[in-house]
PDB file of all heavy atoms in Angstrom:
ATOM      1  N   ARG A 134     113.816  86.920 116.460  1.00  0.00           N
ATOM      2  CA  ARG A 134     115.119  87.439 116.073  1.00  0.00           C
ATOM      3  C   ARG A 134     115.916  87.926 117.279  1.00  0.00           C
ATOM      4  O   ARG A 134     115.359  88.177 118.340  1.00  0.00           O
ATOM      5  CB  ARG A 134     114.971  88.619 115.099  1.00  0.00           C
ATOM      6  CG  ARG A 134     114.029  88.398 113.945  1.00  0.00           C
ATOM      7  CD  ARG A 134     113.964  89.644 113.084  1.00  0.00           C
ATOM      8  NE  ARG A 134     112.769  89.683 112.263  1.00  0.00           N
ATOM      9  CZ  ARG A 134     112.420  90.705 111.497  1.00  0.00           C
ATOM     10  NH1 ARG A 134     113.202  91.781 111.454  1.00  0.00           N
ATOM     11  NH2 ARG A 134     111.312  90.662 110.785  1.00  0.00           N
ATOM     12  N   GLN A 135     117.215  88.110 117.050  1.00  0.00           N
ATOM     13  CA  GLN A 135     118.079  88.743 118.034  1.00  0.00           C
ATOM     14  C   GLN A 135     117.845  90.251 118.014  1.00  0.00           C
ATOM     15  O   GLN A 135     117.362  90.801 117.014  1.00  0.00           O
ATOM     16  CB  GLN A 135     119.550  88.442 117.737  1.00  0.00           C
ATOM     17  CG  GLN A 135     119.932  86.973 117.846  1.00  0.00           C
ATOM     18  CD  GLN A 135     119.840  86.474 119.271  1.00  0.00           C
ATOM     19  OE1 GLN A 135     118.889  85.803 119.636  1.00  0.00           O
ATOM     20  NE2 GLN A 135     120.823  86.814 120.083  1.00  0.00           N
ATOM     21  N   VAL A 136     118.216  90.910 119.097  1.00  0.00           N
ATOM     22  CA  VAL A 136     118.064  92.361 119.175  1.00  0.00           C
ATOM     23  C   VAL A 136     118.783  93.046 118.017  1.00  0.00           C
ATOM     24  O   VAL A 136     118.254  93.970 117.388  1.00  0.00           O
ATOM     25  CB  VAL A 136     118.614  92.886 120.524  1.00  0.00           C
ATOM     26  CG1 VAL A 136     118.755  94.398 120.506  1.00  0.00           C
ATOM     27  CG2 VAL A 136     117.691  92.463 121.664  1.00  0.00           C
ATOM     28  N   SER A 137     119.999  92.600 117.723  1.00  0.00           N
ATOM     29  CA  SER A 137     120.809  93.244 116.681  1.00  0.00           C
ATOM     30  C   SER A 137     120.204  93.098 115.288  1.00  0.00           C
ATOM     31  O   SER A 137     120.561  93.849 114.372  1.00  0.00           O
ATOM     32  CB  SER A 137     122.228  92.672 116.693  1.00  0.00           C
ATOM     33  OG  SER A 137     122.202  91.263 116.495  1.00  0.00           O
ATOM     34  N   ALA A 138     119.301  92.142 115.104  1.00  0.00           N
ATOM     35  CA  ALA A 138     118.720  91.888 113.786  1.00  0.00           C
ATOM     36  C   ALA A 138     117.416  92.648 113.558  1.00  0.00           C
ATOM     37  O   ALA A 138     116.801  92.520 112.497  1.00  0.00           O
ATOM     38  CB  ALA A 138     118.479  90.391 113.604  1.00  0.00           C
ATOM     39  N   ILE A 139     116.981  93.437 114.529  1.00  0.00           N
ATOM     40  CA  ILE A 139     115.731  94.190 114.424  1.00  0.00           C
ATOM     41  C   ILE A 139     116.052  95.663 114.205  1.00  0.00           C
ATOM     42  O   ILE A 139     116.840  96.247 114.944  1.00  0.00           O
ATOM     43  CB  ILE A 139     114.875  94.022 115.690  1.00  0.00           C
ATOM     44  CG1 ILE A 139     114.550  92.540 115.930  1.00  0.00           C
ATOM     45  CG2 ILE A 139     113.570  94.823 115.581  1.00  0.00           C
ATOM     46  CD1 ILE A 139     113.849  92.280 117.250  1.00  0.00           C
ATOM     47  N   THR A 140     115.433  96.256 113.195  1.00  0.00           N
ATOM     48  CA  THR A 140     115.667  97.662 112.889  1.00  0.00           C
ATOM     49  C   THR A 140     114.421  98.492 113.188  1.00  0.00           C
ATOM     50  O   THR A 140     113.326  97.939 113.377  1.00  0.00           O
ATOM     51  CB  THR A 140     116.025  97.844 111.410  1.00  0.00           C
ATOM     52  OG1 THR A 140     114.879  97.492 110.614  1.00  0.00           O
ATOM     53  CG2 THR A 140     117.212  96.966 111.016  1.00  0.00           C
ATOM     54  N   ILE A 141     114.608  99.812 113.199  1.00  0.00           N
ATOM     55  CA  ILE A 141     113.473 100.716 113.356  1.00  0.00           C
ATOM     56  C   ILE A 141     112.466 100.478 112.235  1.00  0.00           C
ATOM     57  O   ILE A 141     111.255 100.470 112.463  1.00  0.00           O
ATOM     58  CB  ILE A 141     113.940 102.188 113.335  1.00  0.00           C
ATOM     59  CG1 ILE A 141     114.712 102.521 114.609  1.00  0.00           C
ATOM     60  CG2 ILE A 141     112.746 103.132 113.184  1.00  0.00           C
ATOM     61  CD1 ILE A 141     113.850 102.600 115.841  1.00  0.00           C
ATOM     62  N   ARG A 142     112.970 100.283 111.037  1.00  0.00           N
ATOM     63  CA  ARG A 142     112.078 100.043 109.902  1.00  0.00           C
ATOM     64  C   ARG A 142     111.260  98.780 110.114  1.00  0.00           C
ATOM     65  O   ARG A 142     110.067  98.743 109.804  1.00  0.00           O
ATOM     66  CB  ARG A 142     112.891  99.940 108.610  1.00  0.00           C
ATOM     67  CG  ARG A 142     112.053  99.670 107.368  1.00  0.00           C
ATOM     68  CD  ARG A 142     112.876  99.761 106.102  1.00  0.00           C
ATOM     69  NE  ARG A 142     113.344 101.123 105.879  1.00  0.00           N
ATOM     70  CZ  ARG A 142     114.079 101.492 104.831  1.00  0.00           C
ATOM     71  NH1 ARG A 142     114.433 100.596 103.923  1.00  0.00           N
ATOM     72  NH2 ARG A 142     114.458 102.749 104.695  1.00  0.00           N
ATOM     73  N   ASP A 143     111.897  97.726 110.642  1.00  0.00           N
ATOM     74  CA  ASP A 143     111.169  96.482 110.932  1.00  0.00           C
ATOM     75  C   ASP A 143     110.033  96.747 111.926  1.00  0.00           C
ATOM     76  O   ASP A 143     108.903  96.288 111.740  1.00  0.00           O
ATOM     77  CB  ASP A 143     112.105  95.436 111.532  1.00  0.00           C
ATOM     78  CG  ASP A 143     113.167  94.975 110.559  1.00  0.00           C
ATOM     79  OD1 ASP A 143     112.917  95.004 109.336  1.00  0.00           O
ATOM     80  OD2 ASP A 143     114.254  94.577 111.024  1.00  0.00           O
ATOM     81  N   LEU A 144     110.360  97.470 112.990  1.00  0.00           N
ATOM     82  CA  LEU A 144     109.377  97.738 114.042  1.00  0.00           C
ATOM     83  C   LEU A 144     108.233  98.593 113.528  1.00  0.00           C
ATOM     84  O   LEU A 144     107.053  98.289 113.766  1.00  0.00           O
ATOM     85  CB  LEU A 144     110.060  98.425 115.223  1.00  0.00           C
ATOM     86  CG  LEU A 144     111.029  97.547 116.037  1.00  0.00           C
ATOM     87  CD1 LEU A 144     111.985  98.412 116.848  1.00  0.00           C
ATOM     88  CD2 LEU A 144     110.254  96.606 116.948  1.00  0.00           C
ATOM     89  N   ALA A 145     108.563  99.658 112.810  1.00  0.00           N
ATOM     90  CA  ALA A 145     107.532 100.548 112.298  1.00  0.00           C
ATOM     91  C   ALA A 145     106.653  99.835 111.282  1.00  0.00           C
ATOM     92  O   ALA A 145     105.421  99.980 111.291  1.00  0.00           O
ATOM     93  CB  ALA A 145     108.179 101.784 111.668  1.00  0.00           C
ATOM     94  N   GLY A 146     107.276  99.034 110.425  1.00  0.00           N
ATOM     95  CA  GLY A 146     106.501  98.309 109.427  1.00  0.00           C
ATOM     96  C   GLY A 146     105.562  97.291 110.052  1.00  0.00           C
ATOM     97  O   GLY A 146     104.394  97.184 109.681  1.00  0.00           O
ATOM     98  N   ALA A 147     106.070  96.512 111.007  1.00  0.00           N
ATOM     99  CA  ALA A 147     105.240  95.499 111.665  1.00  0.00           C
ATOM    100  C   ALA A 147     104.118  96.133 112.469  1.00  0.00           C
ATOM    101  O   ALA A 147     103.032  95.559 112.597  1.00  0.00           O
ATOM    102  CB  ALA A 147     106.100  94.623 112.564  1.00  0.00           C
ATOM    103  N   ALA A 148     104.368  97.331 113.015  1.00  0.00           N
ATOM    104  CA  ALA A 148     103.353  98.023 113.823  1.00  0.00           C
ATOM    105  C   ALA A 148     102.408  98.843 112.959  1.00  0.00           C
ATOM    106  O   ALA A 148     101.409  99.372 113.467  1.00  0.00           O
ATOM    107  CB  ALA A 148     104.036  98.931 114.840  1.00  0.00           C
ATOM    108  N   ASP A 149     102.732  98.971 111.675  1.00  0.00           N
ATOM    109  CA  ASP A 149     101.931  99.772 110.746  1.00  0.00           C
ATOM    110  C   ASP A 149     101.871 101.237 111.186  1.00  0.00           C
ATOM    111  O   ASP A 149     100.803 101.857 111.221  1.00  0.00           O
ATOM    112  CB  ASP A 149     100.511  99.201 110.598  1.00  0.00           C
ATOM    113  CG  ASP A 149      99.790  99.760 109.373  1.00  0.00           C
ATOM    114  OD1 ASP A 149     100.480 100.251 108.454  1.00  0.00           O
ATOM    115  OD2 ASP A 149      98.546  99.746 109.341  1.00  0.00           O
ATOM    116  N   VAL A 150     103.013 101.776 111.564  1.00  0.00           N
ATOM    117  CA  VAL A 150     103.120 103.198 111.893  1.00  0.00           C
ATOM    118  C   VAL A 150     104.335 103.755 111.147  1.00  0.00           C
ATOM    119  O   VAL A 150     105.201 102.998 110.706  1.00  0.00           O
ATOM    120  CB  VAL A 150     103.298 103.449 113.412  1.00  0.00           C
ATOM    121  CG1 VAL A 150     102.118 102.895 114.192  1.00  0.00           C
ATOM    122  CG2 VAL A 150     104.611 102.842 113.924  1.00  0.00           C
ATOM    123  N   SER A 151     104.398 105.064 111.031  1.00  0.00           N
ATOM    124  CA  SER A 151     105.565 105.678 110.412  1.00  0.00           C
ATOM    125  C   SER A 151     106.712 105.699 111.413  1.00  0.00           C
ATOM    126  O   SER A 151     106.489 105.627 112.628  1.00  0.00           O
ATOM    127  CB  SER A 151     105.242 107.106 109.969  1.00  0.00           C
ATOM    128  OG  SER A 151     105.052 107.933 111.103  1.00  0.00           O
ATOM    129  N   GLU A 152     107.930 105.794 110.928  1.00  0.00           N
ATOM    130  CA  GLU A 152     109.081 105.859 111.823  1.00  0.00           C
ATOM    131  C   GLU A 152     109.017 107.105 112.693  1.00  0.00           C
ATOM    132  O   GLU A 152     109.458 107.096 113.844  1.00  0.00           O
ATOM    133  CB  GLU A 152     110.376 105.818 111.012  1.00  0.00           C
ATOM    134  CG  GLU A 152     110.606 104.476 110.327  1.00  0.00           C
ATOM    135  CD  GLU A 152     111.933 104.408 109.598  1.00  0.00           C
ATOM    136  OE1 GLU A 152     112.877 105.121 109.997  1.00  0.00           O
ATOM    137  OE2 GLU A 152     112.033 103.641 108.618  1.00  0.00           O
ATOM    138  N   GLY A 153     108.448 108.177 112.177  1.00  0.00           N
ATOM    139  CA  GLY A 153     108.303 109.399 112.960  1.00  0.00           C
ATOM    140  C   GLY A 153     107.396 109.206 114.161  1.00  0.00           C
ATOM    141  O   GLY A 153     107.676 109.718 115.256  1.00  0.00           O
ATOM    142  N   VAL A 154     106.317 108.448 113.982  1.00  0.00           N
ATOM    143  CA  VAL A 154     105.404 108.161 115.095  1.00  0.00           C
ATOM    144  C   VAL A 154     106.121 107.345 116.164  1.00  0.00           C
ATOM    145  O   VAL A 154     105.950 107.572 117.371  1.00  0.00           O
ATOM    146  CB  VAL A 154     104.153 107.410 114.596  1.00  0.00           C
ATOM    147  CG1 VAL A 154     103.335 106.849 115.772  1.00  0.00           C
ATOM    148  CG2 VAL A 154     103.292 108.330 113.748  1.00  0.00           C
ATOM    149  N   PHE A 155     106.939 106.418 115.732  1.00  0.00           N
ATOM    150  CA  PHE A 155     107.691 105.583 116.673  1.00  0.00           C
ATOM    151  C   PHE A 155     108.461 106.440 117.667  1.00  0.00           C
ATOM    152  O   PHE A 155     108.467 106.181 118.869  1.00  0.00           O
ATOM    153  CB  PHE A 155     108.641 104.682 115.878  1.00  0.00           C
ATOM    154  CG  PHE A 155     109.633 103.932 116.714  1.00  0.00           C
ATOM    155  CD1 PHE A 155     109.333 102.675 117.189  1.00  0.00           C
ATOM    156  CD2 PHE A 155     110.868 104.484 117.044  1.00  0.00           C
ATOM    157  CE1 PHE A 155     110.241 101.970 117.978  1.00  0.00           C
ATOM    158  CE2 PHE A 155     111.772 103.803 117.826  1.00  0.00           C
ATOM    159  CZ  PHE A 155     111.453 102.542 118.291  1.00  0.00           C
ATOM    160  N   TYR A 156     109.113 107.492 117.177  1.00  0.00           N
ATOM    161  CA  TYR A 156     109.955 108.332 118.037  1.00  0.00           C
ATOM    162  C   TYR A 156     109.151 109.217 118.986  1.00  0.00           C
ATOM    163  O   TYR A 156     109.725 109.852 119.868  1.00  0.00           O
ATOM    164  CB  TYR A 156     110.896 109.192 117.186  1.00  0.00           C
ATOM    165  CG  TYR A 156     112.020 108.394 116.569  1.00  0.00           C
ATOM    166  CD1 TYR A 156     112.034 108.114 115.206  1.00  0.00           C
ATOM    167  CD2 TYR A 156     113.048 107.900 117.364  1.00  0.00           C
ATOM    168  CE1 TYR A 156     113.065 107.372 114.648  1.00  0.00           C
ATOM    169  CE2 TYR A 156     114.081 107.159 116.813  1.00  0.00           C
ATOM    170  CZ  TYR A 156     114.088 106.896 115.457  1.00  0.00           C
ATOM    171  OH  TYR A 156     115.117 106.148 114.915  1.00  0.00           O
ATOM    172  N   ASN A 157     107.836 109.242 118.818  1.00  0.00           N
ATOM    173  CA  ASN A 157     107.000 109.966 119.782  1.00  0.00           C
ATOM    174  C   ASN A 157     106.873 109.200 121.101  1.00  0.00           C
ATOM    175  O   ASN A 157     106.488 109.788 122.116  1.00  0.00           O
ATOM    176  CB  ASN A 157     105.594 110.197 119.216  1.00  0.00           C
ATOM    177  CG  ASN A 157     105.579 111.211 118.100  1.00  0.00           C
ATOM    178  OD1 ASN A 157     106.431 112.086 118.043  1.00  0.00           O
ATOM    179  ND2 ASN A 157     104.616 111.081 117.199  1.00  0.00           N
ATOM    180  N   TYR A 158     107.207 107.916 121.073  1.00  0.00           N
ATOM    181  CA  TYR A 158     106.991 107.075 122.248  1.00  0.00           C
ATOM    182  C   TYR A 158     108.271 106.477 122.817  1.00  0.00           C
ATOM    183  O   TYR A 158     108.322 106.141 124.009  1.00  0.00           O
ATOM    184  CB  TYR A 158     106.002 105.948 121.894  1.00  0.00           C
ATOM    185  CG  TYR A 158     104.656 106.485 121.506  1.00  0.00           C
ATOM    186  CD1 TYR A 158     104.352 106.753 120.174  1.00  0.00           C
ATOM    187  CD2 TYR A 158     103.689 106.756 122.470  1.00  0.00           C
ATOM    188  CE1 TYR A 158     103.118 107.280 119.811  1.00  0.00           C
ATOM    189  CE2 TYR A 158     102.459 107.278 122.122  1.00  0.00           C
ATOM    190  CZ  TYR A 158     102.182 107.547 120.792  1.00  0.00           C
ATOM    191  OH  TYR A 158     100.962 108.086 120.451  1.00  0.00           O
ATOM    192  N   PHE A 159     109.286 106.337 121.986  1.00  0.00           N
ATOM    193  CA  PHE A 159     110.551 105.755 122.454  1.00  0.00           C
ATOM    194  C   PHE A 159     111.716 106.523 121.847  1.00  0.00           C
ATOM    195  O   PHE A 159     111.659 106.932 120.690  1.00  0.00           O
ATOM    196  CB  PHE A 159     110.640 104.271 122.068  1.00  0.00           C
ATOM    197  CG  PHE A 159     109.582 103.429 122.727  1.00  0.00           C
ATOM    198  CD1 PHE A 159     108.388 103.148 122.060  1.00  0.00           C
ATOM    199  CD2 PHE A 159     109.750 102.937 124.012  1.00  0.00           C
ATOM    200  CE1 PHE A 159     107.396 102.390 122.673  1.00  0.00           C
ATOM    201  CE2 PHE A 159     108.766 102.184 124.628  1.00  0.00           C
ATOM    202  CZ  PHE A 159     107.582 101.910 123.954  1.00  0.00           C
TER     203      PHE A 159
END
């Protein structure tokens, strides 16, 4: 996908982590 087509929810879901955990690193 393009950068604009990727959301935080997409990233967290694919990584199997919560969105809150995501923000601990980026």
Side-chain angles (χ1 to χ4, degrees):
R134 312 179 200 175
Q135 296 293 102
V136 167
S137 58
I139 301 173
T140 66
I141 289 289
R142 179 172 294 181
D143 294 332
L144 290 161
D149 196 21
V150 300
S151 69
E152 292 184 27
V154 168
F155 170 91
Y156 287 108
N157 289 333
Y158 298 92
F159 296 95

